[in-house]
Amino acid sequence: MKNLFVTRVAAAMVAAALPLAAGAADKPESLKIGMTAFLTGPASVFGVPARDAAEILVENINAAGGINGVPLDISFIDEGAGAEALTSEYRRMVESGGAEVMLAAISSGNCQTLAPLAEDLQVPNLMWDCGTQRIFEENDYKYVFRTQANATPEMLATVLYLLKTKPDFKTIAVVNQDYAWGRDSWDIFITALKAMKPDVEVVAEFFPKFGSPDFSTEISRLQALQPDVILSTSWGGDLDTFVQQASQRGLMNTSTFVLPLAESSLERLGAALPDGHIIGARGDHYFLHPERRNDEDFKAFMAQYEEKTGDVSVYPVFHASQAIAALKAAYEKAIADNSVDWPSEDQLLAALEGLTFQGLGRPITLREDNQGIEDQLMGTSVQTGEYPFATMQNIMIFDGDELTTPVGQNSIEWVGALDAGFVDSVTVDTFEN
């Protein structure tokens, strides 16, 4: 591994001279991990919860003895500092900071920059949150793995839930942030929707500036158009502002809002999100997960996180748990498979290939192109009074494997070739409340 990365050549010579020890690595004093997340700026609503969760998870692992007696030592890089600073700090953490594994990143743009850098640096990188489907569709990587889904199954689950619960709608509009995620997620969504419901009419497409504080123009136009459905894959402060302003002006009483990333905004939105709107969770992520909410380990972590932060867990917390779980499982598998005290880098990479692991949600498997297969949870908002914010009812969890673009295919081309029969062909588990 990279505890002393500058001595790799010397280490290789020693290994060659000692065949019985070939492939093993010296057991380090600690396993140094670097993690990128937005710790400042508007996207910190994702990054800070993930950092807090990672700290709790690492503390729990270390309290239980670490990985084969090796404690984890995690450090963080702020994605909010900008792409140039991020790249420089990522390189520094690997080359001189001794990081043996990196967890990066939140931003899809940052993932597209850091994936080839990880290959150049020959450092295992677990993409723990970014959504772009392009990573493994456009490139082959040895050192890069994604421990969660990508935009394609996330958007497909949204389309399927909409068609299953509101099959008779005729018109749709979109209000998305004007950058790569907003454009790409809409492209996947509308391509899939048109394939399965060809007669749907798109009445408006709005792409307001990222970070916009005022959606009055878009809301006025939508009130005039009265679309049956309004999609927004926006997140963070932009989504919060849009929903709050739309609610104040009554737009949420006349159109069904479809919000694939709103699970992370529920607590902040409070009473602004009324009953009857479609909520996504970017995976099967929900602090009231219908299958896991009564598990002792799940309840224990939820309590730990709430005690530390004062908030309920949101999807970046789940994504962080998946990356840490994959890391731990891969090391333990590599140690067991090779009967060593500590694995070599190649042994770790081999253990990651095809690995199945479980964080706070359902189990996830890394398939042959290193893409994680993650099930998708969708629900409908309801204000029950049990919490001072909307929760989800009529939950469906869709099979992630059936929603993920097959290896070697392009997402847009694949979803564009689907048809109406796909709606009822996908495996789904339904929960009444």
Side-chain angles (χ1 to χ4, degrees), residues 2 8 87 90-91 94 101-104 110-127 141-145 345 349:
K2 295 185 178 59
R8 280 185 169 188
T87 302
Y90 184 102
R91 182 182 291 277
V94 174
V101 178
M102 298 297 290
L103 312 180
N110 289 340
C111 277
Q112 289 178 300
T113 299
L114 296 178
L117 178 59
E119 292 290 298
D120 290 342
L121 297 174
Q122 298 185 352
V123 60
N125 188 101
L126 305 184
M127 294 191 298
Y141 290 107
K142 176 181 178 181
Y143 289 88
V144 179
F145 300 81
E345 184 175 86
L349 294 174

Side-chain angles (χ1 to χ4, degrees), residues 7-25 344:
T7 65
R8 280 185 169 188
V9 174
M13 294 173 62
V14 171
L18 300 170
L20 293 177
S344 68

Side-chain angles (χ1 to χ4, degrees), residues 22-33:
D26 291 336
K27 199 171 183 177
E29 293 184 3
S30 65
L31 172 57
K32 293 187 176 181
I33 305 163

Side-chain angles (χ1 to χ4, degrees), residues 40 97 123 208 313 340 402 425:
T40 58
V123 60
S313 293
V340 294
E402 297 173 19
S425 71

Side-chain angles (χ1 to χ4, degrees), residues 354-421:
L355 182 71
T356 295
F357 54 93
Q358 185 169 15
L360 293 166
R362 286 181 169 182
I364 294 166
T365 297
L366 301 178
R367 68 180 188 183
E368 61 188 274
D369 61 350
N370 299 347
Q371 171 63 55
I373 301 300
E374 179 182 51
D375 293 348
Q376 299 293 317
L377 183 151
M378 303 291 302
T380 300
S381 63
V382 60
Q383 294 279 355
T384 65
E386 184 177 358
Y387 296 91
F389 52 87
T391 53
M392 284 192 266
Q393 64 179 359
N394 299 327
I395 289 173
M396 297 182 189
I397 303 181
F398 295 90
D399 183 275
D401 188 39
E402 297 173 19
L403 301 184
T404 305
T405 307
V407 176
Q409 295 191 36
N410 173 274
S411 282
I412 296 297
E413 294 175 358
W414 179 65
V415 300
L418 301 176
D419 57 33

